[in-house]
Amino acid sequence: GAVVSQHPSWVICKSGTSVKIECRSLDFQATTMFWYRQFPKQSLMLMATSNEGSKATYEQGVEKDKFLINHASLTLSTLTVTSAHPEDSSFYICSANSGGGLAAYNEQFFGPGTRLTVL
Amino acid sequence: AQTVTQSQPEMSVQEAETVTLSCTYDTSESDYYLFWYKQPPSRQMILVIRQEAYKQQNATENRFSVNFQKAAKSFSLKISDSQLGDAAMYFCAYRSAIWGGSEKLVFGKGTKLTVNP
C-alpha cells in the first residue's frame, strides 16, 4: 500500500516555542490530507482537512492561529503548533487520501504519528 | 451529523478463539463506507477491513470478517483464530460516499482487545 511518513516521530520543546510537523506521501500524490490529535487511550480527533493549494478547513473548536496547516504540494503538508504549551502535548497523526479526490473511493493512509511533549 | 458508537471499551479473547467487536452508527446518508482500523502499541493505524454500504455481501479479509446490518446500522467485526498480534485498539469508522461529499473519517471511541495466551 501507499506510504505516509511523518517527521519528527518525537519532539520535546519548551513552552512558548513553535514546532513544525511534516507529513509526506511518499509514493502517491495526495490532494487531501488530514490532521488528527489523539490523547492517551482515546480515539482520533480530527483537527483539520488540508487541500493542496488552498486554506485548511478546521474542525469546530480547533484554533486556527494555534495550529497552522500548510499544504504546499501534492506530497507535503505541515502542521505548526505555535507558542506551544503543556496542554498541547499529544500524539498528532496525519493521513492522506490516494486518488484525485473526485473518485467515489480514495483510501486514506495514515502516518506513524508524532509525539509532542511541551515542557 | 454522523456518529459511530463502540459500546465495548475493552474485550479479551483466548488465543485461537473467536471474538466479535460491536459497532453501531447513525447517518441519514444512503451511500457510505464503513471501516475497521487496528492501532497496535506502535500507534500506526492499519486498515483491517472495508465495507461499501451498497454491497449486501459482508466483507472478509482472511481471519477478519464483518456482519453488516444496514437496516440496523450495525457493523461488527469478527476475528477468528485470534493471534497474539491481534492485540490492539480497534476503531470503527464511517465515511461518506456521496459524490462531492466529505472525505472525513468519523471514528468511534475504540475497543481495546487483549489476546490471552
Side-chain angles (χ1 to χ4, degrees):
Chain A
V3 178
V4 175
S5 70
Q6 276 184 246
H7 178 80
S9 57
W10 197 354
V11 57
I12 301 173
C13 70
K14 293 182 178 180
S15 186
T17 61
S18 294
V19 174
K20 180 183 285 188
I21 302 170
E22 292 187 350
C23 176
R24 292 181 184 274
S25 56
L26 298 185
D27 49 5
F28 67 99
Q29 293 184 332
T31 55
T32 306
M33 289 184 169
F34 303 87
W35 286 96
Y36 298 87
R37 184 172 181 177
Q38 186 179 32
F39 291 104
K41 299 184 180 181
Q42 293 189 22
S43 187
L44 282 70
M45 181 192 79
L46 180 65
M47 299 174 67
T49 301
S50 167
N51 291 294
E52 186 265 338
S54 63
K55 290 184 178 180
T57 301
Y58 290 82
E59 295 298 302
Q60 191 172 9
V62 177
E63 299 176 61
K64 301 178 184 181
D65 296 332
K66 177 113 181 117
F67 299 100
L68 301 179
I69 292 172
N70 183 275
H71 193 159
S73 76
L74 286 172
T75 59
L76 173 65
S77 178
T78 59
L79 167 67
T80 301
V81 184
T82 62
S83 186
H85 292 285
E87 57 266 30
D88 298 323
S89 298
S90 191
F91 194 69
Y92 293 88
I93 302 174
C94 75
S95 67
N97 270 5
S98 63
L102 297 177
Y105 176 70
N106 298 307
E107 184 168 346
Q108 196 169 130
F109 298 95
F110 286 83
T114 297
R115 184 183 302 278
L116 170 63
T117 300
V118 184
L119 302 177
Chain B
Q2 295 77 31
T3 59
V4 176
T5 303
Q6 292 179 251
S7 59
Q8 306 154 316
E10 297 187 19
M11 292 282 285
S12 63
V13 63
Q14 290 296 126
E15 196 175 5
E17 296 295 309
T18 296
V19 65
T20 299
L21 307 184
S22 300
C23 173
T24 58
Y25 60 95
D26 190 32
T27 183
S28 59
E29 296 180 331
S30 58
D31 202 10
Y32 48 88
Y33 302 99
L34 296 166
F35 307 86
W36 278 98
Y37 282 91
K38 169 185 177 181
Q39 189 180 40
S42 68
R43 303 189 79 168
Q44 171 72 59
M45 294 289 284
I46 301 166
L47 178 64
V48 175
I49 201 164
R50 179 183 84 240
Q51 175 79 43
E52 286 90 344
Y54 68 87
K55 289 187 177 179
Q56 293 186 339
Q57 186 173 10
N58 290 324
T60 299
E61 288 287 342
N62 301 313
R63 298 183 295 107
F64 298 88
S65 61
V66 298
N67 183 3
F68 174 47
Q69 300 291 325
K70 191 172 183 179
K73 295 181 180 174
S74 170
F75 183 61
S76 61
L77 174 70
K78 185 172 82 171
I79 306 174
S80 303
D81 186 25
S82 297
Q83 300 176 359
L84 295 177
D86 294 334
M89 282 290 291
Y90 285 81
F91 294 100
C92 180
Y94 170 103
R95 209 205 87 180
S96 173
I98 302 298
W99 184 269
S102 173
E103 294 182 282
K104 296 190 295 187
L105 287 171
V106 179
F107 286 96
K109 291 188 175 182
T111 296
K112 181 181 180 181
L113 178 65
T114 301
V115 181
N116 300 309

